[in-house]
Amino acid sequence: MKSAVETLNPTRVRLTVEVPFEELKDSLDAAYKKINQQVTVKGFRKGKIPARVIDQRFGRGAVLEEAVNDALPKFYTNAVNEAELNVLGQPEVDITELKDNELLAFTAEVDIRPALEIPDYSGIEVEVDAVEVSDEDVEKSVEQLRERFASTTTVERAAEDGDVVTVDLEAKVDGEVLADGIANGVSYTIGSGELLDGIDEAVKGLEAGGSATFTSELKGGSAQGKEASVKVDVTEVKARELPVLDDDFAQLASEFDTLDELKADSRKRLERMKKFDQATQAQEKVLDALLGLIEVPIPEKLLEDEIRTRKHNLEHHQLGQMGLDLAKYLELQGKSEEEFDAETKEQAEKGIKTQFVLDELVNKEKLNVSQEELTEHLMRRAQSSGMSPDQFAQAVVEGGQVPMLVGEVARGKALAVVVEAASVKDTNGEAVDLEDEDEAEAAEAVVAEAEGTEEKAEEAAKTEG
């Protein structure tokens, strides 16, 4: 076999391959054997029909076609390996010559990863938010915990902000009660914004037994997005009582004996969260700076496929779970379809560039992924997907998603290498020393977000699971 490579552009090549006929022998034998099993000729046992009889009865062309179809993938792969090409997607193959007992010649056009030169990235400088936890932040955190331990008591007065009311609802559109527009015994906290727009104003001032009617756009159901006339009947009003903030509360709500210990722990927790946010911000800014240093050509077909995949995941998975279609989503986001398409294209381009550049860094820095690192990453992914680690791992293996996860970890390590070399300062001008654990986890998350692989892996896992 002889092969040659012609570069069509930085991301596409044409392979020209010539195969002497003797190298087709195995595929020809396989073709005769396959046809033997599929046809019947009087006077011969099934599977024992001589090759010359098959040629006479069914034509030599049918045999050659079967043999070539069998041989092409092997010779194409050999040519790719010989040229040391990093191909993307399926090739477009064209048989240019087929002479029986002489020669098979074909061309194959295929996209390839572009050759990239990683420049010196040690000069990258980024600024991130300083980690500052105020007394107000701590008080807010403790107050949220206090809210969780609130109790309710039935009261005989008009409903006020913060009260919990039990209501019956009836929704009408164009004067007709909707089949799914009736709900009884609904518990709602006034001011939470968790039900229908307009309900707060309608129920405030009503006592048990009171009614009101208001207009609201329905958020779900058969008439989603339509304006409805909603009748609300208040059947009970309960006042929420918050526990006193003292040592007794600390013992009730936590493992601590005093309120001061609880507040100190809240401060530590908030600092930890802000440090992780800071690490994530650093990774994102360093990645953007790195990508800005390198010109990365992108295969057109790969970009089209990536855009299509991202749109599919958004429409059929993320929005579907929220009960929204694309049109409603764009309306809520205040975006036109053209703006959405441009944004999706920009995100897809960044995802592909991120993968190309960081993969090149993985090779340059000779980074490997240990079993321990992969397991830790898998457990984090399982937690975010709502599946147990065992379920997620099994689904990922069955769905063929392991290489995707390995790639994420490796590229996360590559990004961490760049961050280590960069100058990262906070808004106070202080140098930021990122903790290894935060850095690794944040890097993997940033890579997954840029590439859009988090949704792909989780949806594949859920599908398999």
Side-chain angles (χ1 to χ4, degrees):
M1 184 193 85
K2 291 192 304 181
S3 65
V5 181
E6 177 188 357
T7 301
L8 303 178
N9 62 48
T11 63
R12 194 165 179 85
V13 297
R14 178 188 292 123
L15 286 163
T16 301
V17 183
E18 293 184 356
V19 183
F21 213 80
E22 56 266 23
E23 293 185 35
L24 285 172
K25 183 180 183 306
D26 289 345
S27 293
L28 278 168
D29 290 344
Y32 279 117
K33 186 175 182 180
K34 183 176 180 180
I35 294 172
N36 241 309
Q37 300 300 322
Q38 295 174 339
V39 300
T40 303
V41 176
K42 190 175 181 180
F44 296 96
R45 282 184 297 153
K46 196 173 186 65
K48 299 295 184 180
I49 308 169
R52 58 179 176 76
V53 175
I54 290 177
D55 288 346
Q56 292 168 357
R57 289 293 188 94
F58 306 102
R60 173 73 166 174
V63 179
L64 289 176
E65 181 180 356
E66 184 67 42
V68 168
N69 287 339
D70 176 75
L72 275 178
K74 178 180 69 176
F75 291 119
Y76 164 73
T77 301
N78 290 344
V80 166
N81 293 337
E82 190 176 284
E84 297 182 341
L85 297 175
N86 198 335
V87 300
L88 302 165
Q90 297 300 314
E92 294 178 7
V93 177
D94 182 27
I95 297 173
T96 55
E97 194 171 0
L98 178 57
K99 291 183 179 178
D100 197 0
N101 291 313
E102 290 186 36
L103 180 74
L104 164 66
F106 67 90
T107 62
E109 287 191 19
V110 67
D111 288 330
I112 59 168
R113 281 182 179 246
L116 299 177
E117 280 294 326
I118 304 296
D120 179 17
Y121 46 78
S122 60
I124 290 177
E125 297 180 0
V126 299
E127 184 181 76
V128 295
D129 295 334
V131 172
E132 296 172 343
V133 178
S134 66
D135 290 343
E136 186 181 343
D137 292 332
V138 175
E139 294 299 331
K140 185 178 178 181
S141 175
V142 173
E143 190 61 30
Q144 288 172 343
L145 182 62
R146 186 184 181 203
E147 291 275 349
R148 286 165 49 191
F149 284 85
S151 58
T152 58
T153 305
T154 301
V155 293
E156 295 182 2
R157 60 163 172 77
E160 302 171 355
D161 266 329
D163 286 345
V164 179
V165 291
T166 303
V167 297
D168 296 336
L169 300 167
E170 180 185 84
K172 291 182 180 179
V173 173
D174 298 330
E176 296 290 330
V177 178
L178 298 171
D180 55 356
I182 297 175
N184 295 321
V186 177
S187 181
Y188 175 66
T189 301
I190 300 174
S192 67
E194 295 174 352
L195 209 52
L196 294 168
D197 293 338
I199 192 171
D200 289 341
E201 294 76 9
V203 298
K204 275 193 293 186
L206 296 181
E207 297 184 21
S211 297
T213 301
F214 64 99
T215 301
S216 183
E217 182 180 307
L218 298 179
K219 296 180 180 179
S222 60
Q224 178 183 330
K226 292 185 178 180
E227 288 286 324
S229 173
V230 183
K231 181 173 179 287
V232 55
D233 296 320
V234 178
T235 60
E236 188 176 30
V237 179
K238 291 183 177 180
R240 297 175 74 248
E241 296 179 6
L242 297 172
V244 177
L245 280 178
D246 55 17
D247 292 347
D248 288 339
F249 169 72
Q251 293 166 23
L252 169 69
S254 71
E255 70 271 30
F256 301 106
D257 293 327
T258 68
L259 185 60
D260 287 342
E261 289 174 334
L262 173 60
K263 287 183 176 181
D265 181 69
S266 294
R267 185 178 294 275
K268 285 182 183 177
R269 217 168 14 85
L270 291 170
E271 285 176 351
R272 175 73 177 167
M273 289 168 59
K274 290 201 173 188
K275 281 183 179 178
F276 181 79
D277 291 342
Q278 185 187 63
T280 301
Q281 191 180 29
Q283 305 283 353
E284 289 172 344
K285 289 192 171 186
V286 168
L287 175 60
D288 287 341
L290 176 65
L291 296 181
L293 294 176
I294 308 168
E295 188 67 35
V296 184
I298 299 177
E300 189 176 319
K301 177 69 165 54
L302 181 65
L303 179 59
E304 290 173 357
D305 289 345
E306 181 64 18
I307 290 172
R308 192 181 314 86
T309 298
R310 286 173 180 255
K311 281 186 175 181
H312 177 84
N313 285 342
L314 176 66
E315 289 188 63
H316 297 279
H317 299 306
Q318 294 160 266
L319 295 184
Q321 291 173 357
M322 294 187 286
L324 297 175
D325 59 17
L326 183 59
K328 185 61 181 176
Y329 169 75
L330 294 180
E331 182 185 330
L332 292 172
Q333 293 288 313
K335 293 177 186 172
S336 67
E337 194 166 341
E338 290 74 19
E339 289 172 329
F340 169 72
D341 287 342
E343 189 179 275
T344 304
K345 181 181 179 184
E346 184 179 341
Q347 291 169 347
E349 286 176 341
K350 181 180 179 180
I352 294 170
K353 287 180 180 179
T354 296
Q355 187 172 13
F356 285 175
V357 170
L358 295 183
D359 278 348
E360 190 66 34
L361 260 170
V362 168
N363 293 331
K364 181 181 178 181
E365 301 291 344
K366 296 181 172 56
L367 301 175
N368 295 309
V369 176
S370 69
Q371 184 61 51
E372 183 182 358
E373 289 168 333
L374 180 59
T375 300
E376 288 174 358
H377 183 62
L378 189 145
M379 290 182 72
R380 285 194 289 269
R381 275 304 196 85
Q383 187 175 14
S384 66
S385 71
M387 301 170 71
S388 74
D390 287 345
Q391 285 176 320
F392 188 80
Q394 182 180 349
V396 162
V397 171
E398 291 175 356
Q401 301 299 314
V402 173
M404 180 187 292
L405 296 188
V406 171
E408 280 179 14
V409 178
R411 289 189 282 276
K413 292 179 73 170
L415 179 55
V417 167
V418 183
V419 174
E420 285 286 338
S423 171
V424 182
K425 293 184 178 180
D426 66 20
T427 48
N428 294 328
E430 299 291 328
V432 174
D433 184 19
L434 301 175
E435 295 182 15
D436 290 344
E437 185 179 340
D438 283 345
E439 190 176 5
E441 185 176 346
E444 290 168 14
V446 168
V447 169
E449 168 118 11
E451 297 179 11
T453 52
E454 186 161 352
E455 291 82 7
K456 295 173 190 175
E458 286 180 15
E459 287 306 328
K462 287 174 183 176
T463 300
E464 291 295 327

